[in-house]
Amino acid sequence: SYELTQPPSVSVSPGQTARITCSADALPQQYACWYQQKPGRTPVLVIYKDSERPSGIPERFSGSSSGTTVTLTISGVQAEDEADYYCQSEHSSGTYWVFGGGTKLTVL
Amino acid sequence: EVQLVQSGAEVKKPGESLRISCKGSGYTFTTHWIAWVRQMPGKGLESIGIIYPGDSDTRYSPSFQGQVTISADKSINTAYLQWSSLKASDSAMYYCARQEPAHGRASDVWGLGTLVTVSS
């Protein structure tokens, strides 16, 4: 089955840049998107179509894609960015969607 | 305002049936896929399946095929997730989310979730 692999955790100091990767196990992959989820809260879309940012999401959030890996980059990390981040993509068959396992971002 | 309003928390016994709902408002319900997502306590997000309310085209993630049923009633802008025989392992938070075509069908609007507890 289709899998998306994320690092379990990433830690950065405030003001630094956090990069969270998401690797697919098959080529080619579809567009990916990213969600932020804070404890006890509903997920929030922060990136869609690999690199597009929804309205209302700060510019410090950006996305990129290379081969079968997509990356969420948070520039100038703030304490409020501490959360779990999930990538998501659709299987190439178009029959189902998959989430990555999630990455816990800790702001030191 | 675009909203997805989910039904309230449920406490059930193993073997019981259950249907939870997700009502959309503020947008054209029939032209956006609705996704159902499970989150077990302390765990990550899992895709259960999706439904296109316009024609009830339904697709399940392999892990959930045969375990649940997704349906929709477009006359009342509501999608459903149901179980015929619950297990303790079905205890989780269940979210519905709208997939936005303009965003590559990323889920841009989420319900607040329905907490399902299955315990004897």
Side-chain angles (χ1 to χ4, degrees):
Chain A
S1 64
Y2 187 54
E3 290 189 2
L4 300 175
T5 301
Q6 299 180 232
S9 62
V10 169
S11 299
V12 296
S13 299
Q16 289 190 327
T17 296
R19 294 181 179 85
I20 300 173
T21 57
C22 171
S23 299
D25 65 353
L27 288 170
Q29 72 172 66
Q30 310 287 77
Y31 279 130
C33 53
W34 291 91
Y35 302 94
Q36 175 195 68
Q37 187 181 34
K38 296 182 179 179
R41 306 292 296 273
T42 297
V44 173
L45 178 68
V46 294
I47 294 290
Y48 64 92
K49 286 186 178 178
D50 292 348
S51 60
E52 300 294 319
R53 196 173 51 248
S55 60
I57 300 301
E59 291 184 7
R60 63 180 182 273
F61 287 87
S62 64
S64 61
S65 176
S66 179
T68 59
T69 298
V70 292
T71 301
L72 173 68
T73 299
I74 310 172
S75 304
V77 167
Q78 299 182 6
E80 68 196 49
D81 299 330
E82 187 164 283
D84 293 324
Y85 291 85
Y86 297 90
C87 61
Q88 185 192 37
S89 187
E90 184 181 23
H91 187 267
S92 58
S93 67
T95 56
Y96 64 96
W97 289 70
V98 176
F99 285 99
T103 298
K104 181 176 180 58
L105 175 66
T106 300
V107 182
L108 301 171
Chain B
E1 179 192 7
V2 177
Q3 273 190 306
L4 293 174
V5 177
Q6 297 190 232
S7 49
E10 301 275 1
V11 179
K12 292 288 190 178
K13 290 180 166 43
E16 292 186 331
S17 63
L18 175 64
R19 188 177 77 168
I20 62 176
S21 66
C22 169
K23 183 175 177 63
S25 62
Y27 72 101
T28 304
F29 188 72
T30 53
T31 60
H32 291 70
W33 290 83
I34 291 288
W36 284 97
V37 176
R38 182 176 80 174
Q39 187 166 36
M40 301 177 76
K43 302 298 184 183
L45 304 175
E46 300 174 272
S47 293
I48 297 171
I50 54 175
I51 187 165
Y52 190 75
D55 61 6
S56 290
D57 183 2
T58 307
R59 303 172 187 187
Y60 296 92
S61 296
S63 300
F64 291 92
Q65 181 78 47
Q67 306 305 307
V68 297
T69 301
I70 294 171
S71 61
D73 185 339
K74 63 184 179 182
S75 70
I76 55 172
N77 288 1
T78 301
Y80 301 98
L81 177 65
Q82 67 182 65
W83 296 258
S84 58
S85 180
L86 286 160
K87 302 184 287 288
S89 57
D90 293 318
S91 296
M93 180 71 83
Y94 292 87
Y95 295 101
C96 64
R98 181 186 83 157
Q99 291 190 332
E100 170 54 56
H103 292 172
R105 289 177 54 202
S107 292
D108 64 338
V109 177
W110 292 65
L112 294 181
T114 295
L115 183 63
V116 174
T117 303
V118 183
S119 175
S120 55

